[in-house]
Amino acid sequence: MAEKSFKYVIVGGGVSAGYAAREFAKEGVKPGELAIISKEAVAPYERPALSKAYLFPESPARLPGFHVCVGSGGERLLPEWYKENGIELILSTEIVKADLAGKTLVSAAGETFKYEILIIATGSTVIKLTDFGVQGADAKNIFYLREIDDADKLVEAIKAKKNGTAVIVGGGYIGLELGAALRINNLDVSMVYPEPWCMPRLFTSGIAAFYEGYYANKGIKIIKGTVATGFSTNANGEVTEVKLKDGRVLEADIVVVGVGGRPLTTLFKGQVEEEKGGIKTDAFFKTSVPDVYAVGDVATFPLKLYNENRRVEHVDHSRKSAEQAVKAIKASEEGKSVEEYDYLPYFYSRSFDLAWQFYGDNVGDTVLFGDNNPESPKPKFGSYWIKDGKVVGAFLEGGNPEENKAIAKVARVQPPVESLDLLKNEGLAFASKI
């Protein structure tokens, strides 16, 4: 097998890879210097579309419509763009061995790639029920959503099981977004999760009560405090039932599982320092190995605002960390320096007619404000998180761009608060005056 050599190699072809490529092009990368190696068959795209517009029954999103960097308002990088910029896109190629000391990667097909500088952008993989030996979890029509192939299979199943029943296993991001998408496709939807309320990593019980009420009004059945322990199938091997730990049995033509992900770091185990489940980096995304950088979901980096190392799984950080790493690489080549990464955690979601944003840290006491009645024609409400007498996090449902900017500023500035009651009464006005 031929060996290929590049100055820069990005391993992984997700959001981070696309934003890194754009930054390299801005910084004047020379033709033939950069390669992106991806196991997917398509150029980098904005992954959040898969759980939203990609599944819409009317005018769904399709490639090339959501290639990066449209998700942040930039131009779309079509496959031709990489050619025009002399960047080699090596698709449908899975790297199975990485030798960081020897600066060599080997693909499943046995190809060898040499590099001078490596950016690890391998992202996360979904946690599967088969990993835990759940009985019948390998049945047909049990879906996970991570890549465009997964979304295509789900779209086919939605068409094949028109007006059928769907069970969502998991009450986090994927569960809530896919619950909405399947309901819009006129499926009878149930959601099952073990926690006392949905999205427990971020939502308080007060925030969650709104979404659970809203979803119930849309006809989605919510079953809390139990888990799927097995699946029944028909003669074709297709799922027909979901068995729950509490003894209930739910009919199902389609099952979608969203129970979390884990960073894809196995290729680099034992070769690079790890922390908190990810690859440890500095504020420029340099790892413990010279000339090796890690960005996006796999990086555990110094979060300057809170003075601690964290790993952040979100598209916003995937974009920004990739740009930061490339700026740092190019600056060090020119003997210059760049500012340290100073990230404000940011999460958002859209489903049905709803859209929320969250900034900062969800620790400490909480205050819920505004109209969180799920029956309201235009609900608008939010929450602040208060720690050591300061607002450290802010959430807003139904905000306009100015209001969303205001809550972001609050989370960044961390203003002091005199009393929680006062804050509750002021609500959004508190953020707007910072």
Side-chain angles (χ1 to χ4, degrees):
M1 276 290 191
E3 181 179 288
K4 287 188 165 181
S5 292
F6 300 93
K7 186 172 184 184
Y8 313 104
V9 167
I10 300 168
V11 61
V15 172
S16 286
Y19 281 77
R22 180 177 70 171
E23 195 58 41
F24 267 118
K26 273 188 202 162
E27 300 271 355
V29 72
K30 295 186 181 73
E33 281 189 334
L34 171 62
I36 294 172
I37 305 174
S38 173
K39 80 175 180 36
E40 290 194 73
V42 294
Y45 56 88
E46 301 283 2
R47 219 173 274 281
L50 298 182
S51 58
K52 303 179 190 70
Y54 203 81
L55 302 175
F56 286 176
E58 305 292 323
S59 57
R62 287 292 177 266
L63 288 178
F66 59 97
H67 279 298
V68 300
C69 298
V70 293
S72 58
E75 72 161 307
R76 271 186 310 173
L77 308 186
L78 300 173
E80 305 81 80
W81 178 89
Y82 296 87
K83 277 199 192 79
E84 287 159 14
N85 285 276
I87 296 167
E88 193 154 344
L89 259 187
I90 303 167
L91 301 175
S92 305
T93 301
E94 186 176 5
I95 296 300
V96 293
K97 187 168 179 274
D99 173 5
L100 299 185
K103 295 193 169 187
T104 307
L105 305 171
V106 181
S107 75
E111 305 145 296
T112 305
F113 303 96
K114 304 284 271 185
Y115 61 83
E116 289 174 37
I117 291 175
L118 178 69
I119 298 179
I120 299 169
T122 42
S124 302
T125 182
V126 291
I127 292 170
K128 298 196 168 179
L129 295 181
T130 44
D131 301 346
F132 308 111
V134 174
Q135 176 221 342
D138 51 358
K140 289 178 192 162
N141 285 354
I142 296 180
F143 299 99
Y144 298 85
L145 189 65
R146 182 67 201 170
E147 297 176 353
I148 208 157
D149 281 357
D150 303 327
D152 285 337
K153 287 174 190 152
L154 184 53
V155 167
E156 286 309 305
I158 290 168
K159 285 178 189 159
K161 303 292 179 184
K162 205 170 166 63
N163 305 333
T165 56
V167 174
I168 310 270
V169 177
Y173 253 115
I174 290 288
L176 286 165
E177 291 183 355
L178 288 182
L182 293 176
R183 191 71 197 104
I184 292 165
N185 279 283
N186 214 23
L187 285 135
D188 185 352
V189 179
S190 299
M191 287 179 71
V192 179
Y193 44 92
E195 299 89 359
W197 62 77
C198 64
M199 204 70 175
R201 280 198 311 184
L202 174 62
F203 289 178
T204 61
S205 59
I207 294 172
F210 166 81
Y211 293 98
E212 290 173 354
Y214 191 97
Y215 274 49
N217 290 343
K218 292 284 187 186
I220 294 175
K221 291 179 276 303
I222 290 175
I223 301 165
K224 301 188 270 193
T226 189
V227 292
T229 52
F231 301 91
S232 308
T233 52
N234 62 18
N236 300 332
E238 292 180 341
V239 70
T240 54
E241 291 176 333
V242 182
K243 298 172 193 169
L244 303 184
K245 194 176 183 177
D246 66 9
R248 276 185 277 186
V249 177
L250 308 177
E251 276 182 40
D253 300 307
I254 292 174
V255 174
V256 183
V257 182
V259 291
R262 56 169 72 98
L264 276 168
T265 58
T266 32
L267 279 174
F268 315 102
K269 283 263 178 270
Q271 303 186 68
V272 64
E273 199 180 327
E274 293 189 52
E275 189 181 323
K276 293 184 179 171
I279 295 171
K280 189 179 179 184
T281 76
D282 66 7
F284 309 100
F285 296 98
K286 277 158 85 167
T287 69
S288 59
V289 178
D291 302 325
V292 177
Y293 293 73
V295 296
D297 287 5
V298 293
T300 299
F301 63 96
L303 196 52
K304 198 172 170 180
L305 197 57
Y306 308 124
N307 197 26
E308 64 173 52
N309 288 352
R310 279 198 200 172
R311 199 175 66 75
V312 174
E313 278 184 31
H314 196 262
V315 64
D316 181 61
H317 163 68
S318 294
R319 295 168 180 154
K320 289 172 179 166
S321 57
E323 292 170 346
Q324 170 75 352
V326 175
K327 285 184 176 120
I329 288 165
K330 298 305 279 182
S332 73
E333 287 174 354
E334 292 160 18
K336 294 177 186 161
S337 63
V338 291
E339 293 278 313
E340 288 187 338
Y341 193 60
D342 188 8
Y343 186 65
L344 174 67
Y346 166 51
F347 300 93
Y348 66 84
S349 183
R350 289 190 301 277
S351 55
F352 294 118
D353 299 325
L354 305 173
W356 60 258
Q357 296 196 4
F358 166 84
Y359 294 89
D361 214 5
N362 59 330
V363 293
D365 296 320
T366 58
V367 162
L368 195 65
F369 61 85
D371 172 13
N372 68 330
N373 179 353
E375 312 278 347
S376 289
K378 282 221 156 169
K380 182 188 283 193
F381 72 95
S383 182
Y384 294 117
W385 281 259
I386 303 96
K387 190 186 174 200
D388 301 332
K390 294 183 301 192
V391 176
V392 294
F395 170 97
L396 186 61
E397 165 63 53
N400 63 35
E402 281 68 41
E403 290 163 339
N404 288 327
K405 268 197 193 108
I407 65 159
K409 192 170 181 187
V410 163
R412 169 69 79 183
V413 174
Q414 299 184 357
V417 177
E418 284 166 47
S419 91
L420 298 187
D421 290 338
L422 204 63
L423 188 59
K424 185 178 177 62
N425 291 336
E426 275 199 85
L428 195 51
F430 176 84
S432 304
K433 66 179 192 196
I434 299 299

